[in-house]
Amino acid sequence: MAFRLQRLPSVRPEIAVAAHAVAIGLAFVVGGIAVTISGHNAFTLAAKVLTASFGSEFGLEDFGLLFGPLMLTGLAAAVTLRIGLWNIGAEGQFYIGAVFATGVGLFFSGPPWLMLTAMFLAGGIGGALWILVPTLARAYANVNEIITTLLLNFVAVLVVNYLSTGLWRDRKQSVLGATARIPYEVPNLSGSLHAGILVAVAAVVLMALLIRYTRWGYEVRISGANIFAAHYAGIPVRSRLISVMLISGAIAGIAGMLEVAGTVHRLQGGISNNFGYLGIIVAVLAGGSPIGVVFSGFVMAVILNAGIILQAQGILLNDVLAMTGLILFFTAIGEQVAHYRIVATHVVAQEA
Amino acid sequence: MELLTGILFTAFLAGGVLGLAALGEVLSERVGVFNLGLEGLMALGGVTAIITVTIVPNPFVGILGSLAIGLVFGAVFATATVLFRANQVLCGLALTIMGTGLSASIGKNYAGHPAKVVFEGVAIPYLSDLPVLGKAFFSQNVMVYVVFIVLPIAVHFLMFKTRHGMKMRAVGENPAAADAAGIAVMTIRFWYVTIGASLAAAAGGYLTLAFVPSWSEGITAGRGWIATALVIFAGFRPFNAVLGALAFGIITSLGFVGQARNWPIAPAMLSTLPYLGTIAFMIVPVFVWKRMQQKMAAPAALGRPYFRDER
């Protein structure tokens, strides 16, 4: 009896989910070993993270403040995956969405509901504008969107730093490195948790419905699955590509608006908390499915929250970032390994 | 004149970081593997070099340290992308995220201190006294000559003048045909991806020992990504890659000069130049040099894992 590996063209969904779960588990094991080597007890730390996140209303609210934006940036990356593209620039779109929303909030005034609506739209428009050049370059000149969207992240960081420490800096209370407090706030649900998380859930549901049940969504999925077939069938691939990318940018921009208007209340450097980069991992773990983003966003929120909680224990946010990289790495391998199954080879043919 | 000398001098120094990383990526992409982890490798190489020279105060040992860490992480990346055939984009992003996070936490005790030893410029007698270009061309540190002269010649010779180089390119263009011709596709891919990663890490060592020279979190500032873009712009050719790196060195250098001379542009806006320049460099050629497109095209199998059973 001998065995050999057989490659399957497609993977059953439950196996794909299991492969992702194993990848996350393995990353935790490696992280746990690293933590143990550095002289901590991994299980005590894990228990600490869980009680601090879910053991109190306080913890839950803080957790929600991470969960909301991660769902949105994850969704932003997930929709482009559906058409076979990568938006690695959610970080930058997040920042520019925050910039646009802050600009509207600081320099215009009106009734709060109107101003919040205007800031919401401005955030979306800002995010979409930030991805416009990479989108058009991809659509009309086939320029690699991974690199262009990513490079604009660095530009966005510089723009935010320039505005928050220069042109728009707080001149009333002289808060260093930030703009003045924006007078309009996203209403709170409970304690510090604002309504942004509801917007995130609504966006996820909306995108899931659009992709699943509309002609637009069907055409996007076909273009992503086989671009040649899509062309042949007369699907306007280029226009679908442009719409998907702009929607993705807008979603990330809205996440930035909610962060600045709901959580931070001022534009300042570093408000994105790496949400844009972590969103890529959220989207990959979700396999590009909007509903999947809810689950993987939850996992990523636990991890990011762990990083924040464990800072007091001498574990840096950067260690946690390194571990999310490990998760992505194992997931990439796991997705391939899931394609194989072990079959028994019979030694019958040899006799002839 | 002095201004021009200064700009060129800094351009070579700054461009060297990009050139070294881009040469590594040329090797990797020519055998068909898209490595998006340069940024992370560069960060790891940079911090390793700084830590190495605090133990052994010799910049060459520092670069060796970067090369070694690059080999380790390059081998991990190659194992995933070549042997396991995992998605190259995903693994590259993972490497970037991992490398950025890991280097920041390893290097937290070294952040902000000047490098213990650095690569000093060596003035070549007589030549460095030439007006204008003398100082810029002939008084650089050793690494600059390695990156702009020695390595491009070596890589060009290897890829285009040897039998082995032809095999490399065959693996990147059509692995199935190469395999049928008896070329060890997996071995060639594995080693050149690993060596390419090692060069990218060395670029980090160059950054922290010759250019900045110190370590701090986020010091790579997107240079790995710019190098990745440069390879596409260079049509996957080593000499074009270092020339492109020099062009970016000039852009970076102009930004410095602008800040030093108080040009009426905000420094933050000058700092955006390399990023916006890269994007422009990626888009413009498509429209301007339409005819070059075919000659400069990417290796046909770039980004596609090779499955023998699907041949």
Side-chain angles (χ1 to χ4, degrees):
Chain A
M1 204 62 159
F3 294 95
R4 68 184 183 89
L5 288 174
Q6 186 184 38
R7 188 181 159 77
L8 305 168
S10 63
V11 183
R12 288 211 308 276
E14 61 268 27
I15 300 218
V17 169
H20 287 186
V22 170
I24 296 174
L26 269 181
F28 272 111
V29 169
V30 174
I33 292 172
V35 160
T36 312
I37 290 173
S38 66
H40 298 276
N41 184 328
F43 294 100
T44 338
L45 289 186
K48 187 164 255 140
V49 167
L50 289 180
T51 48
S53 315
F54 304 109
S56 70
E57 208 169 305
F58 247 5
L60 271 176
E61 286 163 14
D62 282 348
F63 177 80
L65 287 178
L66 302 176
F67 186 25
L70 281 172
M71 268 194 279
L72 283 170
T73 54
L75 185 64
V79 293
T80 59
L81 285 184
R82 292 318 284 266
I83 201 163
L85 296 178
W86 294 85
N87 174 11
I88 310 295
E91 186 86 0
Q93 294 135 24
F94 185 101
Y95 273 123
I96 299 302
V99 165
F100 272 53
T102 307
V104 170
L106 285 180
F107 301 108
F108 295 88
S109 51
W113 65 267
L114 180 67
M115 288 308 294
L116 281 173
T117 314
M119 286 165 71
F120 182 85
L121 293 175
I125 291 169
L129 278 179
W130 205 243
I131 203 177
L132 185 64
V133 170
T135 302
L136 296 179
R138 173 73 211 198
Y140 291 97
N142 209 21
V143 172
N144 186 321
E145 81 287 353
I146 302 177
I147 300 173
T148 48
T149 52
L150 185 111
L151 285 170
L152 284 175
N153 290 348
F154 294 97
V155 179
V157 169
L158 288 165
V159 168
V160 167
N161 287 345
Y162 171 66
L163 290 175
S164 58
T165 62
L167 206 56
W168 290 0
R169 72 173 184 275
D170 185 12
R171 289 184 166 85
K172 285 177 220 143
Q173 291 165 295
S174 304
V175 175
L176 276 181
T179 63
R181 197 183 160 89
I182 303 165
Y184 307 97
E185 290 177 18
V186 177
N188 281 4
L189 293 176
S190 121
S192 60
L193 182 64
H194 60 80
I197 194 165
L198 298 182
V199 177
V201 171
V204 164
V205 173
L206 182 67
M207 283 317 296
L209 293 176
L210 276 177
I211 289 177
R212 187 81 183 77
Y213 293 109
T214 66
R215 177 185 171 137
W216 175 85
Y218 173 74
E219 292 180 345
V220 165
R221 280 184 284 137
I222 298 298
S223 308
N226 187 337
I227 195 162
F228 301 107
H231 270 298
Y232 187 71
I235 293 173
V237 174
R238 180 178 284 165
S239 120
R240 294 296 166 267
L241 185 156
I242 293 173
S243 59
V244 166
M245 294 280 274
L246 294 183
I247 288 174
S248 168
I251 294 171
I254 286 166
M257 173 273 169
L258 292 170
E259 187 71 8
V260 81
T263 310
V264 186
H265 304 298
R266 297 168 189 272
L267 183 69
Q268 60 192 41
I271 49 164
S272 86
N273 242 331
N274 286 322
F275 286 136
Y277 295 114
L278 296 174
I280 302 165
I281 305 176
V282 170
V284 168
L285 287 175
S289 139
I291 298 296
V293 160
V294 177
F295 298 99
S296 56
F298 185 88
V299 172
M300 199 51 62
V302 172
I303 295 170
L304 182 57
N305 204 21
I308 294 168
I309 293 164
L310 295 181
Q311 271 176 324
Q313 319 292 320
I315 288 173
L316 303 174
L317 213 51
N318 281 315
D319 299 319
V320 175
L321 194 63
M323 209 185 85
T324 60
L326 207 58
I327 291 178
L328 196 57
F329 191 71
F330 285 142
T331 306
I333 295 178
E335 280 183 351
Q336 271 310 311
V337 173
H339 272 92
Y340 289 86
R341 70 171 179 196
I342 299 168
V343 286
T345 48
H346 301 285
V347 225
V348 190
Q350 283 184 355
E351 294 198 7
Chain B
M1 271 307 133
E2 207 165 297
L3 178 67
L4 185 65
T5 312
I7 289 177
L8 270 178
F9 185 82
T10 314
F12 274 107
L13 204 54
V17 184
L18 300 174
L20 194 49
L23 284 171
E25 185 73 7
V26 166
L27 287 176
S28 181
E29 294 195 11
R30 275 284 179 175
V31 297
V33 178
F34 198 36
N35 184 352
L36 286 180
L38 295 198
E39 184 80 7
L41 289 163
M42 212 185 253
L44 284 167
V47 77
T48 310
I50 284 287
I51 296 174
T52 311
V53 295
T54 47
I55 303 165
V56 185
N58 179 332
F60 292 97
V61 178
I63 288 285
L64 279 182
S66 315
L67 282 168
I69 195 91
L71 278 180
V72 172
F73 278 83
V76 171
F77 176 77
T79 304
T81 53
V82 179
L83 303 184
F84 280 99
R85 307 175 181 102
N87 184 314
Q88 296 174 6
V89 172
L90 273 187
C91 290
L93 291 173
L95 187 54
T96 286
I97 294 174
M98 222 181 330
T100 310
L102 206 57
S103 59
S105 44
I106 299 171
K108 64 173 191 282
N109 295 330
Y110 299 86
H113 304 300
K116 283 278 186 293
V117 284
V118 297
F119 281 102
E120 304 283 356
V122 186
I124 297 173
Y126 306 114
L127 286 176
S128 59
D129 297 331
L130 290 173
V132 191
L133 301 181
K135 185 168 178 288
F137 278 65
F138 301 110
S139 67
Q140 300 280 5
N141 69 67
V142 181
M143 287 302 288
V144 172
Y145 303 113
V146 171
V147 174
F148 283 97
I149 300 170
V150 180
L151 274 178
I153 291 177
V155 173
H156 182 88
F157 184 80
L158 173 74
M159 284 199 325
F160 298 106
K161 304 289 172 196
T162 67
R163 198 177 164 73
H164 180 71
M166 202 178 67
K167 288 182 183 171
M168 279 172 69
R169 287 181 287 133
V171 165
E173 296 290 345
N174 190 339
D179 194 11
I183 298 170
V185 174
M186 293 310 209
T187 317
I188 286 190
R189 279 199 170 172
F190 185 92
W191 283 110
Y192 283 103
V193 170
T194 307
I195 294 168
S198 180
L199 288 184
Y206 176 114
L207 179 71
T208 54
L209 295 183
F211 182 50
V212 176
S214 70
W215 164 259
S216 59
E217 198 182 321
I219 201 166
T220 49
R223 286 186 178 87
W225 293 97
I226 294 178
T228 315
L230 207 56
V231 175
I232 301 172
F233 170 69
F236 309 87
R237 283 164 167 72
F239 283 112
N240 292 358
V242 291
L243 281 179
L246 181 63
F248 274 94
I250 292 174
I251 295 177
T252 312
S253 179
L254 281 176
F256 289 146
V257 171
Q259 286 181 31
R261 305 213 153 200
N262 281 322
W263 288 356
I265 309 170
M269 294 302 107
L270 283 173
S271 310
T272 63
L273 277 178
Y275 310 113
L276 298 178
T278 309
I279 293 170
F281 269 62
M282 288 183 77
I283 297 172
V284 171
V286 179
F287 294 104
V288 182
W289 304 317
K290 274 228 160 88
R291 248 191 243 163
M292 299 279 281
Q293 288 290 299
Q294 203 145 23
K295 248 182 108 182
M296 307 286 266
L302 179 59
R304 290 217 297 271
Y306 173 57
F307 297 96
R308 180 178 255 181
D309 33 349
E310 283 179 4
R311 190 162 59 186

